């Protein structure tokens, strides 16, 4: 069994990675910023050893990694503000520096690094061409991780949902309830992934010897609007209250090619039409 340090263990993805790692018998340490008792009340496993850490603090990150002496670090932490460059970019660089080449690192990246102008699926060989701040921060994080820790796994993924805690799930509920004003876009196409499938894949990659970039996303290309419809239907919401639109100015079609992951991983990456309709 491994000793695993998970950054952002109180987040939607981090807590699932931690829970699955604990269930598999690993020793799990999880970093957090908000009070740990709130995190446990929010669903984080009490079997995880908590480590308070601000990944923006380079020396603190180094101290935590040195003290924890993990076999594997899975970096899921991100800024609550998607435009938080220091957390999303510099924080990833700090984690990579602390790991170097002596600690295996799995870093979670995003399809947001692409512009959507390719007119096709994006492969692992495609270079980032971000068109908005969050994508630029994630692209910078990738560059730092690959330069500092060349043995790391860089996992590019897409919209994460499936357990009710995903951002798109919350947004759909807010739009239907009138707590948010806006629309879901028909020309923003993604490959949404179930949080459990992604968590399983991160642990599987951490236990293997793959290094470099790999796309880990769901099987189905789905627009943000159609995904909202799936959420509403699953949760018994009034689909008629969802408005559709186009031309958001954000990346349009940024489908990830998941051929490499499908051939390499034992984890099955389900499509949104399957996992959102499962009962």
């Amino acid at each position: 069994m491994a000793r695993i340090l998970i950054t952002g263990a109180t987040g939607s993805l981090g807590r699932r990675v931690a829970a699955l790692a604990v269930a598999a018998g690993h020793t799990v340490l999880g970093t957090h910023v908000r009070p740990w008792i709130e995190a446990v009340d929010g669903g984080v496993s009490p079997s995880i050893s908590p480590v308070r850490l601000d990944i923006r603090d380079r020396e603190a990150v180094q101290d935590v990694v040195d003290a924890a002496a993990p076999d594997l670090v899975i970096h899921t932490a991100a800024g609550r503000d998607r435009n938080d460059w220091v957390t999303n970019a510099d924080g990833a660089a700090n984690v990579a520096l602390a790991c170097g080449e002596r600690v295996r690192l799995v870093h979670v990246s995003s399809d947001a690094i692409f512009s959507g102008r390719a007119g096709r699926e994006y492969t692992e060989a495609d270079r980032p061409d971000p068109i908005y701040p969050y994508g630029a921060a994630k692209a910078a994080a990738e560059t730092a991780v690959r330069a500092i820790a060349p043995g790391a796994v860089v996992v590019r993924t897409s919209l994460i949902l499936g357990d009710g805690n995903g951002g798109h799930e919350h947004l759909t509920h807010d739009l239907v309830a009138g707590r948010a004003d806006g629309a879901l876009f028909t020309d923003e196409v993604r490959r949404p992934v179930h949080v459990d499938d992604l968590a399983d894949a991160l642990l599987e990659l951490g236990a293997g010897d793959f290094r470099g970039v790999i796309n880990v996303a769901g099987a189905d290309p789905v627009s943000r609007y159609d995904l909202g419809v799936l959420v509403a239907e699953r949760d018994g919401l009034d689909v008629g209250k969802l408005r559709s639109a186009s031309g958001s100015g954000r990346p349009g079609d940024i489908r990830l090619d998941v051929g490499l992951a499908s051939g390499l991983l034992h984890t099955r990456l389900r499509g949104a039409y399957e996992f959102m309709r499962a009962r």
Side-chain angles (χ1 to χ4, degrees), residues 217-256:
D220 299 330
V222 184
S223 74
R224 282 186 178 269
Y225 174 75
D226 288 337
L227 186 59
V229 170
L230 289 174
V231 172
E233 290 176 343
R234 182 198 65 185
D235 296 346
L237 306 178
D238 184 354
V239 174
K241 292 186 177 180
L242 290 176
R243 292 192 291 118
S244 63
S246 61
S248 67
R250 293 190 299 266
D253 183 351
I254 49 175
R255 291 167 294 149
L256 297 175

Side-chain angles (χ1 to χ4, degrees), residues 5 38 70 201 249:
L5 176 66
E38 293 179 11

